Amino acid sequence: MQQTLPTGIERVLITPDDIAAAIRRIAAEVARDYAGGSLVLVGVLKGAVFVTADLARAIADVPDGPVDVQLDFIAVSSYGNAHRSSGEVRLVQDTTHAIEGRHVLIVEDIVDNGHTLHYLRAMLGNRQPASLRAAVLLDKPYRRAVDVPVEYVGLTCPDEFVVGYGLDYQERYRTLPYIAKLRPEVLPA
Ligand code: IMP
Ligand code: MG
């Protein structure tokens, strides 16, 4: 279907249907692994807001999944230039509930160099959760600078800077229903 793309968007890389299917696959695995138990999803603001909401509901849709899924959020920022994060990650907003003794699943939009997830795993892991895993919608495994485990991966992301479905460039494009490639001339050289 021909569609008019917003200014700055070159092309759609991952459609809403592909995103929904990837989230359903993750939900099925999570529901199986935590069947009958309780689980806290910790979404990483702001990028993972849509994936966290959609994953939570998809888990609830799986019969015989976890009996109890709670939502919490955390916000981090990483320094670097506008489209590349540095190794320096800072906590901006903590979870509202303690996670000690809880089964915790970090939900991220994308893992790129890995510093953000590495920081979050170390920080939350220090709080004695019953278990700690991570689910990400998109993975750029070829870009990893730190080795960090990711238990649930939706899709491998093409080697492009992507926006949409929560992902931004300078706070723009988050509300697009698809994942898209930015026009290179928009990004700084
Ligand atoms: P990492 O610390 O390099 O793994 O990057 C994680 C964070 O960088 C993600 O949560 C995103 O906010 C951001 N990021 C990495 N790659 C992209 C991209 O292609 N588009 C938009 N944001 C990205
Ligand atoms: Mg993010």
Side-chain angles (χ1 to χ4, degrees):
M1 192 184 75
Q2 196 64 33
Q3 58 183 335
T4 311
L5 298 172
T7 314
I9 296 298
E10 184 166 299
R11 64 195 161 90
V12 176
L13 298 176
I14 304 171
T15 66
D17 281 351
D18 291 339
I19 295 169
I23 289 177
R24 275 197 304 274
R25 283 196 302 274
I26 297 175
E29 289 176 47
V30 168
R32 185 197 60 212
D33 293 350
Y34 297 86
S38 74
L39 175 64
V40 185
L41 299 183
V42 176
V44 185
L45 295 173
K46 290 175 271 200
V49 68
F50 301 120
V51 59
T52 306
D54 287 346
L55 180 62
R57 290 176 293 183
I59 293 168
D61 269 351
V62 182
D64 305 319
V67 290
D68 177 27
V69 176
Q70 291 175 21
L71 291 178
D72 213 325
F73 292 92
I74 205 164
V76 291
S77 71
S78 54
Y79 294 104
N81 65 29
H83 70 296
R84 203 158 291 139
S85 70
S86 68
E88 202 184 326
V89 184
R90 189 171 58 93
L91 182 67
V92 171
Q93 184 187 304
D94 209 339
T95 59
T96 52
H97 296 282
I99 57 158
E100 185 179 349
R102 307 299 312 273
H103 292 286
V104 175
L105 181 61
I106 300 167
V107 184
E108 251 290 41
D109 48 7
I110 191 166
V111 186
D112 184 40
N113 61 38
H115 285 298
T116 306
L117 188 57
H118 184 265
Y119 170 89
L120 288 170
R121 290 194 80 118
M123 188 189 65
L124 298 176
N126 270 332
R127 300 178 181 179
Q128 275 82 49
S131 69
L132 181 64
R133 291 183 176 179
V136 307
L137 178 63
L138 300 175
D139 191 9
K140 291 179 174 174
Y142 44 83
R143 298 247 319 156
R144 213 67 98 239
V146 286
D147 200 17
V148 63
V150 187
E151 285 81 1
Y152 306 97
V153 175
L155 299 161
T156 298
C157 188
D159 192 8
E160 307 284 0
F161 187 82
V162 295
V163 294
Y165 195 71
L167 290 152
D168 74 306
Y169 174 62
Q170 297 184 334
E171 295 300 328
R172 293 188 61 205
Y173 308 108
R174 288 194 198 277
T175 57
L176 296 175
Y178 45 74
I179 308 278
K181 175 185 190 311
L182 264 193
R183 289 191 180 284
E185 58 268 31
V186 174
L187 291 168

